[in-house]
Amino acid sequence: MDINIEDIQRRFNVVGRDPAIKQAINVAMQVAPTNMSVLILGESGTGKDVFPQIIHANSARKHGRYIAVNCGAIPEGTIDSELFGHVKGSFTGAVTERKGYFEEADGGTIFLDEIGELPETVQAKLLRVLESGDFLRVGSSIAQKVNVRVIAATNVNLERAIANKKFRADLYFRLSGVVIRIPSLRDRKGDIPELFKLFSNKFAADNNMPALTLTPKAIERLMAYRWPGNVRQLKNIAEKLTVLSPERELDAETIGPYMPQENTDGSLLVLNNEGSSESFNNEREILYKILFGLREDVRYIKSTVNELLRRSVRMESADYMHNVKYQLERRPANDYYDTLDEPENYQTSFVEDDFEELSANKDKHSFEDLTSTTEPENDEDTEMENCKFGKPLNLNGKMIEK
């Protein structure tokens, strides 16, 4: 089979003279006429999504549908329904029957990007589709049959994921019949100037702006950077410089302020997380960690509020009893008890006993009882209310004022 790599590059806008990128295109063209499953490996931003299109366009399925699915962008609770469909009433909100992506792509090609993000239950169903071509819709017991070619891609180290029991080994072996490895941009630095020119000129033409040119020092500066975001990051920098740079000829000093800072190992600077030994294999684990942290914060806030409310009730009760004690202790015995038939020591003893009884029973009253504005049920309650609000206290039928 005679393969013209340059024609494929022009047709699919694949820029690069590096042997590694040409080898990847060559493998894609060789496997295209077959029905084999293909696994594409490469870092994020390397352009893995272009190669499934090359394979599909040069296969016998090119007149069928080509559907690309980002598995990492679909919530875990709905990905089963998205891929394989569901029947009416299978879950809340399933008001109609719906076909999944596999049924829609019958006779064509389905591209599963970020295959490493698939939940284990969905991995089992995908393995069944690859082996027998049938699957069950969500909520159905009738098997559906499809004829679909599966191409998968990931930036996850699947062998490590298998060792950590996050990816099925049998699914990996089934997908990896043919593996295409896409080189990172730092492994093909000779393509950086051409890629920068392509992105800058296209963006300038689309926005009616003058094109940029690079000096040799500027090219050296671009090639010295590690580009952890690969081609996607280079495109972002090229477009940013096209818009913001006041000069149309860029040198190293002009490019410098627009280049991201790096750590000593060449990776992008991240938020400081010293002392943490935790690692996250994907974004879903990060989100779970954040949600669990928020749940603990809410629990702490609720317990704090409840404790403050309990303290407030105790303080209100203490203030009330202090008011009772204040009124009882401030009553001048000589001015009011001389006219009474009972001896003074009897009245004093009655007052002390009354306060002791109130003190002994203070914990039996709730905050609502102490602050209630309803009409008292008996004379004793009336006197307590009078005492609470600073009114004269009636003891043994005598009104005693402050």
Side-chain angles (χ1 to χ4, degrees):
M1 180 180 178
D2 188 16
I3 301 175
N4 192 325
I5 302 297
E6 287 72 20
D7 288 345
I8 299 299
Q9 287 186 277
R10 284 192 295 268
R11 181 181 174 186
F12 293 93
N13 202 24
V14 179
V15 176
R17 300 179 182 178
D18 189 87
I21 198 71
K22 291 183 178 293
Q23 174 63 20
I25 296 174
N26 184 61
V27 174
M29 292 296 296
Q30 286 182 325
V31 75
T34 71
N35 287 319
M36 296 183 65
S37 299
V38 180
L39 179 61
I40 303 173
L41 302 178
E43 296 180 7
S44 178
T46 53
K48 297 186 294 295
D49 57 324
V50 177
F51 289 84
Q53 299 176 40
I54 295 175
I55 296 172
H56 175 73
N58 291 275
S59 70
R61 301 172 179 268
K62 60 184 177 182
H63 299 297
R65 292 197 63 181
Y66 171 80
I67 296 179
V69 182
N70 188 337
C71 301
I74 303 176
E76 184 174 347
T78 62
I79 190 168
D80 198 350
S81 172
E82 292 291 324
L83 291 178
F84 305 108
H86 62 260
V87 298
K88 181 179 178 180
S90 57
F91 54 85
T92 303
V95 295
T96 60
E97 184 179 274
R98 179 185 179 278
K99 291 183 177 181
Y101 293 130
F102 273 89
E103 282 187 82
E104 295 289 350
D106 191 17
T109 304
I110 187 168
F111 170 47
L112 301 178
D113 197 9
E114 303 301 339
I115 191 73
E117 307 295 334
L118 278 181
E120 189 172 355
T121 54
V122 182
Q123 292 179 30
K125 296 188 72 171
L126 176 58
L127 179 62
R128 179 179 177 181
V129 174
L130 292 172
E131 291 180 342
S132 62
D134 61 348
F135 62 91
L136 297 176
R137 288 181 179 178
V138 176
S140 174
S141 59
I142 302 175
Q144 305 289 326
K145 194 78 173 180
V146 291
N147 178 16
V148 178
R149 181 180 195 168
V150 177
I151 302 175
T154 184
N155 60 358
V156 174
N157 187 329
L158 292 182
E159 294 179 354
R160 184 181 302 170
I162 292 171
N164 294 332
K165 301 186 182 305
K166 294 183 179 295
F167 199 82
R168 294 176 63 106
D170 48 3
L171 178 59
Y172 171 73
F173 296 134
R174 190 67 178 80
L175 286 172
S176 59
V178 175
V179 177
I180 299 177
R181 301 184 184 275
I182 312 301
S184 63
L185 187 57
R186 61 182 170 273
D187 294 330
R188 42 185 289 230
K189 291 186 176 181
D191 295 333
I192 291 177
E194 188 175 358
L195 285 167
F196 184 94
K197 182 180 178 180
L198 171 69
F199 297 141
S200 176
N201 289 349
K202 185 178 185 306
F203 189 80
D206 292 342
N207 294 276
N208 298 317
M209 302 177 68
L212 296 177
T213 58
L214 296 172
T215 65
K217 292 293 185 183
I219 294 176
E220 291 179 7
R221 179 66 183 271
L222 291 174
M223 295 178 67
Y225 185 63
R226 284 180 54 83
W227 299 105
N230 293 290
V231 178
R232 185 184 294 123
Q233 185 185 10
L234 177 62
K235 180 181 179 181
N236 178 270
I237 296 295
E239 293 177 351
K240 186 187 300 184
L241 284 165
T242 304
V243 174
L244 301 179
S245 176
E247 304 292 336
R248 295 293 92 183
E249 184 179 41
L250 305 180
D251 54 21
E253 289 73 19
T254 307
I255 291 177
Y258 300 94
M259 299 293 290
Q261 297 182 7
E262 293 182 281
N263 285 317
T264 55
D265 62 353
S267 61
L268 288 175
L269 288 175
V270 296
L271 294 177
N272 185 22
N273 193 29
E274 293 182 0
S276 175
S277 59
E278 298 180 80
S279 61
F280 302 98
N281 291 323
N282 51 53
E283 295 179 0
R284 188 181 295 113
E285 293 186 9
I286 298 176
L287 292 176
Y288 286 160
K289 181 69 175 179
I290 294 173
L291 291 175
F292 290 149
L294 289 175
R295 184 178 66 179
E296 294 302 320
D297 292 342
V298 170
R299 287 178 177 174
Y300 173 75
I301 292 173
K302 288 174 65 177
S303 64
T304 303
V305 170
N306 290 335
E307 179 63 24
L308 291 175
L309 288 175
R310 286 194 293 268
R311 291 182 181 179
S312 177
V313 171
R314 290 197 295 267
M315 292 176 64
E316 292 286 347
S317 177
D319 290 343
Y320 167 62
M321 296 309 303
H322 177 74
N323 189 23
V324 172
K325 180 179 180 180
Y326 175 80
Q327 293 206 33
L328 292 175
E329 290 179 346
R330 289 295 298 272
R331 288 180 298 183
N334 295 335
D335 294 342
Y336 298 102
Y337 295 153
D338 291 344
T339 59
L340 301 177
D341 295 335
E342 291 81 357
E344 180 176 342
N345 61 351
Y346 174 80
Q347 294 292 337
T348 303
S349 174
F350 180 84
V351 171
E352 293 175 350
D353 293 342
D354 180 56
F355 175 71
E356 291 176 358
E357 180 180 357
L358 290 173
S359 300
N361 296 328
K362 63 182 178 65
D363 292 334
K364 298 181 180 179
H365 299 281
S366 65
F367 176 67
E368 290 79 4
D369 295 334
L370 298 177
T371 58
S372 174
T373 57
T374 58
E375 190 69 24
E377 297 181 358
N378 50 52
D379 293 340
E380 182 180 353
D381 292 336
T382 302
E383 298 310 320
M384 294 293 288
E385 289 291 293
N386 289 340
C387 179
K388 172 184 173 183
F389 294 102
K391 296 180 181 180
L393 184 65
N394 187 347
L395 294 177
N396 199 24
K398 303 297 183 178
M399 297 300 294
I400 302 177
E401 299 180 351
K402 181 177 178 180

